[in-house]
Amino acid sequence: MTVDVLRRAAPADRRARVAVAVLFFTNGALFANLLPRYPQIKADLGIGNAAYGLAVAAFPAGAIAAGLAAGILVRRFGSARVAVGGTLLTGVGILAAGLADSVVVFAGALFLAGAMDAFTDVAQNAHGLRVQRRYGRSIINSFHAIWSIGAVTGGSMAAGAIALGVPRDQHLFFSGVVFAVAACVALRFCLPGPETEAAEEDSGDGARRTAPGPAMGARIRYVLAALVLIATAGTLVEDAGSSWATLYLSDSLHASVALAASGYVALVGAQFVGRLIGDRLVDRFGQRAVARSGALIAAVGMGLALAVPTVPGTVLGFAAAGFGVATLVPAAMHEADELPGLKPGSGLTIVSWLMRLGFLLSPPVVGLVADATSLRAGLLVVPLAGLLVLLLAGVLQPRRR
């Protein structure tokens, strides 16, 4: 408590915090500019739900393929440079996906964008944690909230471009240039120096570096697996909004193209609100109670929306899902990073990498179910993810007394 009171962030640290926030913002906005264009791309390519699901799964596949290399790049070039470089190349991949004239090119471009996004994701979180150590208190949730603002901004930009009839190539080129410039400007204000200072700044005790016994090792593996599943449940819900919300509203519920984009915008907008108030809720009720309450909200909200399908109800259902899972990924990352017996950063790396399986597996599974039955049935993955968190949230920290 004394450290938090006495430590004051230096001007350079405050500038670095703003710079990291910009990186999170651009990361959320870039991909969100492409998502509302998915129905048009699907129609132009003339593919079914299963083929579409497999194609969009190329994005998380690229992230999984490249994810473990991110640490090597961060150690060699620095987290800030890797984050910005990944942002630039992600924009290139997104533009290529928007211009694709075949499903192979579309999937290949998404694979590239996903791989670069994995580099950016790991690097910006690593740099955010460096800034957090300088502050001496938690600020990582605020960065994830800024990501949600970026996603809402990007989705809104796309919806506006669609409503105004702006061609897809012009829209995606403009958004790519704008956010590339923002990322490059942010690089100037990031923290200098090597990433090795992270280990020196770590405030944990020596127990984290001590090899655990067999019983403790089994417990750590169980908790780590549960944290991966909790984070994956959060990504499953996010993917339902990014890959299927627009398609479900436009095709199944016959909403207009511009209105159909509101499903994804509602999800990430509510997710932002959840992350904005998440720290206060966790301080008061504990992460375990917050996760369980949120999981219940997501399961019931989306379950009711699917049971009684209407456009307004579905938009509210996606909003409930986004609000419910808002704190899951940051909580799982933080808890994993605090596990005893692991080297600093090991738990965070494992959770960050494996949770992307949710993004990889969800699109083809939902697509196959949609082709066999209906997309409405495929979206049952959202309430099921909420139920999974309800079962596993016991590994999260309770309220501190």
Side-chain angles (χ1 to χ4, degrees):
M1 187 69 181
T2 304
V3 175
D4 291 342
V5 172
L6 295 180
R7 182 174 296 184
R8 294 288 184 270
D13 298 334
R14 292 196 294 269
R15 289 193 294 269
R17 181 177 182 177
V18 173
V20 174
V22 170
L23 293 178
F24 271 81
F25 179 89
T26 59
N27 183 246
L30 263 178
F31 192 48
N33 265 277
L34 177 65
L35 297 177
R37 295 287 191 173
Y38 273 179
Q40 295 175 335
I41 295 173
K42 179 177 179 288
D44 290 345
L45 296 179
I47 55 178
N49 287 324
Y52 167 79
L54 289 171
V56 297
F59 186 91
I64 290 174
L68 291 181
I72 299 173
L73 293 175
V74 166
R75 286 191 294 273
R76 182 169 182 179
F77 300 106
S79 56
R81 291 178 180 177
V82 173
V84 173
T87 296
L88 301 182
L89 293 175
T90 298
V92 171
I94 288 172
L95 178 60
L99 300 178
D101 57 2
S102 72
V103 67
V104 174
V105 175
F106 178 58
L110 287 180
F111 186 91
L112 169 65
M116 298 304 102
D117 179 74
F119 294 159
T120 300
D121 185 42
V122 172
Q124 69 186 10
N125 274 286
H127 207 78
L129 289 172
R130 282 188 64 190
V131 177
Q132 177 173 279
R133 282 186 287 270
R134 297 289 191 93
Y135 268 69
R137 56 185 173 85
S138 177
I139 58 173
I140 194 66
N141 280 330
S142 67
F143 293 136
H144 285 266
I146 293 295
W147 184 95
S148 297
I149 295 178
V152 171
T153 301
S156 300
M157 286 174 62
I162 293 170
L164 294 174
V166 179
R168 193 160 65 229
D169 56 347
Q170 295 179 20
H171 157 224
L172 293 177
F173 178 78
F174 173 78
S175 65
V177 170
V178 167
F179 297 122
V181 170
C184 290
V185 172
L187 179 61
R188 296 185 54 196
F189 301 99
C190 289
L191 294 176
E195 302 301 314
T196 51
E197 70 179 62
E200 298 171 1
E201 293 173 355
D202 189 274
S203 59
D205 56 31
R208 294 188 63 194
R209 301 173 185 270
T210 303
M216 178 61 75
R219 169 66 180 171
I220 290 173
R221 287 191 293 271
Y222 165 75
V223 172
L224 193 56
L227 292 174
V228 168
L229 289 175
I230 289 173
T232 301
T235 64
L236 284 172
V237 175
E238 289 183 25
D239 180 75
S242 63
S243 297
W244 300 103
T246 303
L247 202 62
Y248 177 65
L249 284 162
S250 62
D251 289 2
S252 300
L253 301 183
H254 311 294
S256 66
V257 176
L259 180 59
S262 62
Y264 174 70
V265 172
L267 185 144
V268 294
Q271 186 181 57
F272 162 70
V273 173
R275 286 174 173 171
L276 195 64
I277 65 176
D279 287 329
R280 282 174 286 178
L281 292 176
V282 169
D283 288 341
R284 182 169 183 178
F285 302 107
Q287 184 60 67
R288 184 182 300 172
V290 171
R292 283 176 172 162
S293 300
L296 187 62
I297 290 172
V300 173
M302 197 62 193
L304 289 174
L306 293 173
V308 187
T310 63
V311 172
T314 299
V315 172
L316 289 175
F318 278 112
F323 182 83
V325 303
T327 63
L328 293 186
V329 171
M333 288 181 171
H334 179 265
E335 296 274 352
D337 201 42
E338 296 295 320
L339 282 175
L342 296 179
K343 294 180 180 179
S346 296
L348 172 62
T349 300
I350 292 171
V351 169
S352 299
W353 185 56
L354 290 179
M355 76 176 186
R356 292 181 179 271
L357 287 173
F359 289 116
L360 177 63
L361 297 177
S362 178
V365 169
V366 174
L368 289 171
V369 173
D371 278 349
T373 56
S374 67
L375 183 52
R376 180 182 168 192
L379 286 174
L380 285 172
V381 67
V382 175
L384 290 176
L387 294 177
L388 179 64
V389 174
L390 280 173
L391 292 174
L392 298 175
V395 300
L396 300 173
Q397 290 296 319
R399 178 182 178 184
R400 295 180 181 178
R401 299 185 183 278

